[in-house]
Amino acid sequence: MLAYLSKAGVPWAIATSGKIESARPALDKLALDSGVPVITRDQVEYAKPAPDLFLEAAARLGVSINDSVVVGDSVWDLLAARRARALGVGLLSGGYGQDELERAGAYRVYQDPADLLRHLDEVGVRGAE
């Protein structure tokens, strides 16, 4: 999904409540391009469910948070997205059920990133035209 977004010219970032030392192994597995903004817990004042991570991600991308889609797999992600005034989209990969994610504010819930990729149009994501 991340490769598709990059190819389509859709700006994206990684925002995690983990501190950089604990997030580094997962980030390394993604083999991110050096230009991808990565916002970790140690770079903001408050972690989720506060909106700080997502507001910082939008700022680094140079986009309005109101035009942003936040993808998360926990109720904390979706509460933070709502508080940031972004569109929250849930993934069932974090152990929370669809009902829990929807109650926390998810506009849509998908099985995993591959399922979301097949339905990006449902959340208004389109590549540069």
Side-chain angles (χ1 to χ4, degrees), residues 26 36 49:
V36 172

Side-chain angles (χ1 to χ4, degrees), residues 11-123:
W12 58 274
I14 301 284
T16 177
S17 290
K19 293 187 176 185
I20 190 64
E21 62 268 8
S22 61
R24 178 62 51 207
L27 294 170
D28 288 345
K29 287 182 182 181
L30 291 174
L32 300 173
D33 180 89
S34 62
V36 172
V38 175
I39 300 87
T40 59
R41 171 63 186 97
D42 20 24
Q43 297 172 341
V44 296
E45 188 169 357
Y46 298 105
K48 299 176 243 176
D52 299 26
L53 287 163
F54 301 140
L55 294 171
E56 181 64 22
R60 289 199 200 170
L61 290 170
V63 300
S64 168
I65 192 65
N66 302 109
D67 296 326
S68 299
V69 176
V70 170
V71 178
D73 63 3
S74 76
V75 296
W76 311 115
D77 295 328
L78 296 164
L79 288 169
R82 185 188 321 182
R83 290 174 177 167
R85 307 254 193 275
L87 183 68
V89 172
L91 297 179
L92 294 174
S93 56
Y96 292 91
Q98 182 165 342
D99 289 347
E100 292 171 295
L101 296 175
E102 288 173 345
R103 280 194 307 270
Y107 169 69
R108 292 276 196 272
V109 176
Y110 299 96
Q111 290 296 316
D112 53 35
D115 188 27
L116 172 57
L117 178 59
R118 289 189 296 273
H119 297 96
L120 282 176
D121 61 314
E122 293 178 359
V123 297

Side-chain angles (χ1 to χ4, degrees), residues 1-13 36-37 61 63 67-69 120 124-129:
M1 183 174 74
L2 300 178
Y4 172 84
L5 293 174
S6 294
K7 184 177 178 184
V10 177
W12 58 274
V36 172
L61 290 170
V63 300
D67 296 326
S68 299
V69 176
L120 282 176
V125 175
R126 291 180 186 80
E129 299 180 22

